Amino acid sequence: MNNPILSVQDLTTSFRVDGQWRDVVRGVNFDIGERETVAVVGESGSGKSVTAMSIMRLLSPGNSRSAGRIEFEGKNLLDMPLDAMQSIRGNRIGMIFQEPMTSLNPVLKIGEQITEVLRQHRGMDGAQAEAEAVRLLDRVRIPSAKQRLNEYPMNFSGGMRQRVVIAIALACSPKLLIADEPTTALDVTIQAQILELIKTLQEEEGMSVLFITHDMGVVAEISDRTVVMFRGDVVETASTAEIFREARHPYSRALLSAVPQLGAMTGTDRPLRFPRVDMSSGEIQSPPATADTVRADAPPVLKVDNLVTRFPVRKGILRRVVGRIHAVEDLSFELRQGETLSLVGESGCGKSTTGRSLIRLEEPAGGAISVAGQDVRGAGHSDLTKIRRDVQMIFQDPFESLNLRIRIGDAIAEPMITHGLATRRNAEAKVTDLLERVGLSGDMISRFPHEFSGGQRQRICIARALSLEPKLIIADESVSALDVSVKAQVINLMLDLQEQYGLGYLFISHDMAVVERISHRVAVMYLGEIVEIGPRASVFENPQHPYTRKLIAAVPIADPSRRQRRLATADEIGSPYRSADFVPPKRHYREVGDGHFVMVDASEVAA
Amino acid sequence: MSGYLFSRLLQTAVTLFVMSVLVFGGLHMVGNPVDVLLSPTATPAERLEVIKSFGLDRPVWEQYWIFLKNALTGNLGNSFVFNQPALDLILQRMPATLELAAAALLMALVLGIPLGIYAGLKPNGWFAKSIMTFSILGFSLPTFWIGLVMIMVFAVQLGWLPSSGRGDTVDVLGVPVSIFTMDGLAHLALPAFNLALFKISLVIRITRAGVLETMQLDFVRFARAKGLPEKRIVTVHVLKNTLIPLITVIGLELGSLIAFAVVTETIFAWPGMGKLIIDAIAVLDRPVILAYLMITVVMFSLINLAVDILYSVVDPRVRLEGN
């Protein structure tokens, strides 16, 4: 490359931990050319974000230091005085962060947060800056920009906030945009919009982009060249096409093989484990075939008929119900022993509420639920306890679902003792056995949760759920917070356990690619309703409902040769709020294949 | 908003009612004002006369009923001692107390917020550590002791400031105010600082905690990435977020400043409401005690209302709604 915009040379960043300096990024080298997009990819702890923060010098000066050289427009950023650095930040280099919900100051108006940059770097006065802010919001496709300047961040959805953040980052037409996981916290259709927006703006502005991400799908979609980081080191730098075609470093290969790829399962009916990769040699072991675990002969372990859950919205002095959130609306499905049914949809579609309603963590407003033939809605206190033994939940955040002050052995033993499945005396042997079954070691029994990594904690949660010998496990976004390679391992574990115990899984997820990997059947939810349900192969290969198609099309494809452009729209996900007197219309489904149903309009039924 | 105001008004009315029942009942259980007020040499006839004139011969419920009827017309009864309406007595003393409390509050904010911000920005510096040590002293040393020491040093030994009483006043809209005369300010300085000391410490600690917490948040990092100078980040982005917890605490503390400035007023012989209520309790002047507590309730309710409204101004996420 002749003239790189940004050249990172031998960057080493250290943090001071307990008085000791520890390198978190070692000897990083890469260049970004004009109009080029470079992705830095890696899992948590790889140092990718620290690299980005080092370039912007945003790390706290007392507890961190960077050595090496970061050349930008002919100057070394690392030895620049702070005020010169301030005139580069937000002006020559724009930056956006992962969390749109927290990147904006909640108590300042959007307009103020945009214009302050314009006044700072471009010396505009109030009126000029305001006019420019309107233009910027228009550019990131925020409708009725002028009115929205006077609103606060709380009035914006996550996707809209990320647009505002992008507008701020691009306010001064920077040469370089650093995007640190800008779409990780967003829904998949919103992610597709934001990626498209960044690409479009990059072309219009002619800027370069440094894209930090853990998602190989996003890498394949957006970047020209890719830098793979692993525990603070750059292990491979190459063009994105090359990395995906023939990655040289074993870690790059491991990372790639752990990426669930949408469409990888075409032509198979059963779930499939992820291949195992040897980290030193990079050799890939193809996974063993999955046994057929579905007990089609036995009655379903879970049967849901016309389930409805609504949350009242009250207003005024008398707290009258003025409307309801129709979180779950007229849902019916069955789940057999040994079967995995995935509920898939975007945030607010009611998939988690469905899971919670099944064991009455939320009280349903209508419909019938039966678990192993027992009626859930009519169950009294002791019956409900029995039902809850059969149905266990695993949540998204393994950090929050374990009590930090309870040893994990006690956490796993507690439900067994409560339900009389073990006594205090023989609990320890059972816990040791469970820990080994989920791939941990029995001698970890007296450790506290903070001594484990995220993946290990999720294994502990699985062991805790298994301790009651449940028939059904509701896994609510259970692998969403995990790193790619850890995610693959936990999914493999879940499939192993399904084979061993004949467990049924209700797998609640927003991640289409993971859903394709793990499920036998899939139900797509939108605004509290199932819009399409059927065998996984049928739904993915022959999606019928427009929303299912949109969802599948929005998933980034981890293959740079199949890059696609989408329309830069600004659609929002609808709201399930309805007024109090709203009577939901009757739902009609059409069977399009063997057990594959799609929701249709009433008009279509009549025709 | 109107629904919100209405429900707050209702709450205040209920609080006033409950308070009046409790205080009325309570006062009737402790001592007999006639024993305190009348000289031991009074004849039984005189005694009966006084009891009758105070209305103490009637059953308690009837006394309360009369009080309630009068209260609704704005008459909270006459002081046993001064034979003047209790409300007037209190309102006469009120400007002095409000002035003292306002001066103390102003000192707490003007000194506390900047010191707190500094301590939050540079938590490990020697100056920040001295500020925090000072604030611990402010918390833990008893007000009356500091008041006495201040009189010793500034009034007795140095002779800079007067030690007691209120200075010259000027009438502003019919209300006597002392802050517009040099003499008045000189008299106000010591008691106001004495009263403010605890609040300064409180404001320092809350501001420091708020700044420390806010500086860690994502939007501060994003503001830096926007290239904003540190000064703007602190004074606009951080300060406005720190104000939110500050307003809550200040609101509660302002109420206690006004209602319970008793100690400071006693030490510095400040002619405010605190001194009046202490005297009234000593002679069991029931109407004054009752009226004072009623006014305290109203004041607390008003301050809380102001806090809530301020809150919704500072924090757009707060919506005022009746419940």
Side-chain angles (χ1 to χ4, degrees):
Chain A
M1 206 171 319
N2 302 337
N3 245 335
I5 291 286
L6 179 85
S7 171
V8 177
Q9 295 156 17
D10 211 22
L11 173 72
T12 296
T13 298
S14 335
F15 285 164
R16 192 162 60 187
V17 186
D18 303 329
Q20 300 256 320
W21 286 100
R22 237 178 256 164
D23 293 352
V24 281
V25 167
R26 280 176 299 267
V28 167
N29 286 291
F30 63 86
D31 290 347
I32 302 176
E34 203 154 323
R35 289 171 178 267
E36 191 184 31
T37 302
V38 172
V40 175
V41 65
E43 296 180 286
S44 33
S46 64
K48 55 188 192 305
S49 284
V50 173
T51 304
M53 301 282 272
S54 304
I55 294 171
M56 285 294 254
R57 288 196 19 212
L58 288 173
L59 298 165
S60 114
N63 297 315
S64 67
R65 60 178 185 204
S66 300
R69 217 181 138 72
I70 297 173
E71 206 165 289
F72 176 75
E73 295 186 329
K75 283 175 234 134
N76 183 5
L77 296 183
L78 285 183
D79 56 22
M80 197 174 255
L82 186 64
D83 56 337
M85 193 63 216
Q86 273 168 359
S87 68
I88 285 185
R89 291 179 188 158
N91 186 20
R92 308 299 303 150
I93 307 180
M95 188 161 183
I96 48 185
F97 293 105
Q98 171 169 357
E99 264 301 332
M101 303 316 261
T102 53
S103 291
L104 296 169
N105 190 333
V107 302
L108 292 182
K109 287 178 181 167
I110 292 294
E112 167 87 15
Q113 299 191 49
I114 303 175
T115 51
E116 64 181 355
V117 185
L118 298 168
R119 277 175 298 165
Q120 177 70 27
H121 295 303
R122 288 170 67 182
M124 292 184 172
D125 64 26
Q128 280 174 318
E130 193 158 312
E132 178 65 10
V134 173
R135 197 187 67 82
L136 284 166
L137 285 188
D138 274 336
R139 292 208 52 200
V140 294
R141 279 85 178 164
I142 291 183
S144 42
K146 205 171 161 69
Q147 289 86 307
R148 304 225 73 176
L149 284 183
N150 284 319
E151 289 180 26
Y152 290 93
M154 60 164 184
N155 298 326
F156 289 69
S157 66
M160 284 296 163
R161 285 189 207 193
Q162 199 62 304
R163 284 166 194 272
V164 174
V165 169
I166 292 173
I168 293 171
L170 299 186
C172 304
S173 310
K175 284 303 283 179
L176 174 68
L177 176 71
I178 301 178
D180 187 358
E181 303 260 14
T183 58
T184 306
L186 303 174
D187 274 315
V188 60
T189 56
I190 308 297
Q191 159 170 301
Q193 290 173 14
I194 296 292
L195 288 180
E196 202 50 52
L197 181 69
I198 291 176
K199 276 192 259 182
T200 313
L201 294 174
Q202 180 184 13
E203 280 160 17
E204 288 171 13
E205 301 269 338
M207 64 183 176
S208 310
V209 176
L210 175 63
F211 206 98
I212 314 282
T213 183
H214 70 280
D215 186 337
M216 289 307 259
V218 172
V219 171
E221 286 249 318
I222 201 158
S223 74
D224 303 316
R225 280 189 316 123
T226 299
V227 178
V228 183
M229 287 190 75
F230 179 58
R231 294 192 189 150
D233 294 303
V234 169
V235 296
E236 190 160 2
T237 308
S239 81
T240 305
E242 227 171 293
I243 294 246
F244 277 81
R245 204 172 50 238
E246 41 175 1
R248 275 190 298 275
H249 194 274
Y251 177 73
S252 315
R253 261 180 284 183
L255 201 57
L256 277 168
S257 71
V259 175
Q261 291 203 23
L262 196 63
M265 304 280 294
T266 306
T268 59
D269 301 331
R270 294 182 200 159
L272 189 62
R273 290 182 183 82
F274 286 94
R276 236 176 262 269
V277 179
D278 188 278
M279 284 303 251
S280 50
S281 67
E283 218 156 309
I284 299 175
Q285 289 176 350
S286 34
T290 318
D292 185 7
T293 52
V294 185
R295 295 281 304 274
D297 49 326
V301 63
L302 171 72
K303 195 168 183 316
V304 178
D305 289 302
N306 310 101
L307 178 69
V308 175
T309 304
R310 294 172 186 159
F311 301 107
V313 176
R314 294 169 194 276
K315 269 209 177 110
I317 301 166
L318 301 174
R319 312 303 293 153
R320 256 179 322 190
V321 175
V322 293
R324 293 187 183 86
I325 304 285
H326 290 233
V328 178
E329 199 55 54
D330 198 5
L331 227 58
S332 305
F333 58 87
E334 286 180 4
L335 179 64
R336 295 185 180 276
Q337 221 171 318
E339 186 183 44
T340 304
L341 170 68
S342 290
L343 285 182
V344 64
E346 295 178 283
S347 33
C349 74
K351 54 190 191 302
S352 288
T353 309
T354 307
R356 297 172 61 82
S357 302
L358 293 181
I359 49 173
R360 280 172 53 193
L361 294 176
E362 303 291 351
E363 204 60 53
I369 305 163
S370 96
V371 170
Q374 276 181 298
D375 176 31
V376 176
R377 288 202 61 212
H381 184 75
S382 64
D383 283 340
L384 191 61
T385 310
K386 245 182 269 164
I387 291 168
R388 285 182 179 166
R389 204 189 106 183
D390 284 339
V391 185
Q392 287 295 302
M393 287 194 91
I394 307 169
F395 296 97
Q396 171 167 6
D397 196 332
F399 290 82
E400 285 177 13
S401 41
L402 289 169
N403 188 326
L404 295 176
R405 285 176 190 79
I406 295 181
R407 292 174 198 278
I408 60 144
D410 295 332
I412 298 172
E414 186 188 28
M416 288 195 281
I417 294 167
T418 311
H419 286 270
L421 292 179
T423 58
R424 290 204 180 275
R425 204 153 305 169
N426 67 11
E428 188 172 324
K430 289 196 171 197
V431 170
T432 309
D433 178 53
L434 281 165
L435 282 175
E436 277 160 12
R437 279 174 188 276
V438 297
L440 297 172
S441 141
D443 55 23
M444 296 173 173
I445 193 163
S446 54
R447 292 197 193 163
F448 286 98
H450 71 261
E451 298 172 66
F452 295 90
S453 68
Q456 286 177 319
R457 287 189 209 195
Q458 204 57 301
R459 286 172 191 267
I460 295 166
C461 293
I462 293 174
R464 183 173 57 180
L466 284 178
S467 70
L468 293 180
E469 295 155 25
K471 297 191 172 72
L472 171 67
I473 288 184
I474 301 175
D476 190 351
E477 299 276 13
S478 303
V479 297
S480 306
L482 305 176
D483 271 323
V484 196
S485 59
V486 180
K487 188 187 286 192
Q489 289 163 13
V490 172
I491 289 173
N492 285 358
L493 172 69
M494 287 178 73
L495 291 173
D496 290 345
L497 295 170
Q498 186 166 50
E499 271 179 22
Q500 278 176 41
Y501 297 99
L503 289 169
Y505 289 127
L506 185 67
F507 192 82
I508 297 170
S509 178
H510 69 281
D511 188 336
M512 296 296 277
V514 168
V515 164
E516 192 190 24
R517 198 88 194 184
I518 199 172
S519 17
H520 295 93
R521 288 195 306 132
V522 176
V524 180
M525 285 189 73
Y526 182 67
L527 295 186
E529 304 168 340
I530 289 181
V531 295
E532 187 159 2
I533 183 169
R536 189 257 302 148
S538 180
V539 171
F540 275 84
E541 286 162 36
N542 184 21
Q544 290 294 312
H545 197 275
Y547 180 70
T548 314
R549 288 189 197 147
K550 187 174 161 189
L551 216 50
I552 292 175
V555 178
I557 301 166
D559 181 354
S561 60
R562 282 166 59 201
R563 212 172 266 190
Q564 48 181 350
R565 290 306 293 257
R566 305 183 181 86
L567 243 58
T569 54
D571 300 348
E572 291 276 87
I573 299 166
S575 157
Y577 176 84
R578 301 280 179 272
S579 60
D581 51 3
F582 177 78
V583 180
K586 186 152 173 46
R587 277 152 199 78
H588 300 280
Y589 291 91
R590 186 159 52 91
E591 185 160 11
V592 290
D594 188 18
H596 182 177
F597 293 88
V598 60
M599 192 163 86
V600 290
D601 284 345
S603 59
E604 264 183 78
V605 176
Chain B
M1 183 72 188
S2 60
Y4 170 78
L5 283 177
F6 181 75
S7 78
R8 285 302 290 261
L9 219 62
L10 218 67
Q11 276 175 23
T12 307
V14 171
T15 316
L16 273 174
F17 176 73
V18 172
M19 182 83 178
S20 69
V21 172
L22 286 179
V23 174
F24 209 91
L27 280 176
H28 273 266
M29 277 177 225
V30 285
N32 186 345
V34 181
D35 296 341
V36 184
L37 290 170
L38 234 54
S39 75
T41 55
T43 62
E46 282 171 341
R47 197 181 154 81
L48 267 181
E49 179 77 16
V50 171
I51 289 176
K52 213 169 152 122
S53 73
F54 287 172
L56 297 175
D57 52 340
R58 301 174 204 225
V60 177
W61 64 266
E62 203 184 323
Q63 289 181 41
Y64 181 72
W65 178 243
I66 294 169
F67 163 77
L68 207 60
K69 272 200 302 197
N70 289 335
L72 287 176
T73 61
N75 172 11
L76 292 178
N78 281 1
S79 160
F80 292 164
V81 180
F82 301 96
N83 200 22
Q84 280 177 40
L87 200 57
D88 291 358
L89 272 176
I90 292 167
L91 290 180
Q92 278 166 18
R93 309 291 193 94
M94 203 185 222
T97 295
L98 287 182
E99 193 174 79
L100 184 63
L105 183 70
L106 193 74
M107 282 184 186
L109 295 179
V110 169
L111 292 172
I113 293 180
L115 289 176
I117 290 178
Y118 183 87
L121 290 178
K122 296 207 163 66
N124 296 318
W126 67 269
F127 187 56
K129 285 187 175 148
S130 330
I131 294 173
M132 297 322 285
T133 312
F134 162 82
S135 83
I136 291 173
L137 289 180
F139 266 126
S140 44
L141 292 177
T143 312
F144 74 86
W145 183 80
I146 295 181
L148 293 176
V149 169
M150 275 170 29
I151 291 178
M152 283 288 290
V153 175
F154 294 104
V156 178
Q157 289 184 349
L158 297 173
W160 289 352
L161 293 164
S163 67
S164 69
R166 200 176 181 208
D168 301 338
T169 58
V170 185
D171 275 14
V172 177
L173 303 172
V175 180
V177 180
S178 71
I179 50 168
F180 297 115
T181 62
M182 275 316 288
D183 183 49
L185 282 177
H187 277 86
L188 185 61
L190 282 184
F193 188 69
N194 183 229
L195 192 56
L197 209 58
F198 182 87
K199 310 294 167 195
I200 295 174
S201 309
L202 192 68
V203 171
I204 287 177
R205 294 196 93 87
I206 293 167
T207 312
R208 173 180 177 269
V211 169
L212 269 176
E213 196 190 311
T214 314
M215 288 303 279
Q216 306 296 321
L217 295 180
D218 277 358
F219 64 77
V220 171
R221 207 171 44 148
F222 184 58
R224 291 216 176 100
K226 283 154 103 176
L228 299 179
E230 240 5 59
K231 193 177 141 211
R232 181 170 169 89
I233 293 175
V234 172
T235 54
V236 177
H237 286 262
V238 174
L239 189 59
K240 210 170 168 203
N241 279 279
T242 309
L243 282 180
I244 295 167
L246 204 56
I247 287 174
T248 319
V249 178
I250 295 289
L252 290 172
E253 291 298 322
L254 177 63
S256 74
L257 266 182
I258 297 171
F260 311 114
V262 182
V263 176
T264 300
E265 288 187 1
T266 311
I267 295 170
F268 292 92
W270 188 261
M273 294 190 297
K275 220 173 142 353
L276 179 73
I277 181 74
I278 287 289
D279 294 346
I281 291 171
V283 296
L284 285 177
D285 195 347
R286 286 178 185 168
V288 175
I289 301 173
L290 200 53
Y292 177 80
L293 289 171
M294 292 285 116
I295 284 181
T296 309
V297 169
V298 172
M299 224 145 52
F300 263 85
S301 300
L302 282 178
I303 290 169
N304 277 333
L305 181 67
V307 167
D308 281 359
I309 291 172
L310 257 181
Y311 222 81
S312 74
V313 171
V314 176
D315 191 345
R317 289 164 297 187
V318 175
R319 280 278 157 275
L320 300 179
E321 247 194 57
N323 57 22

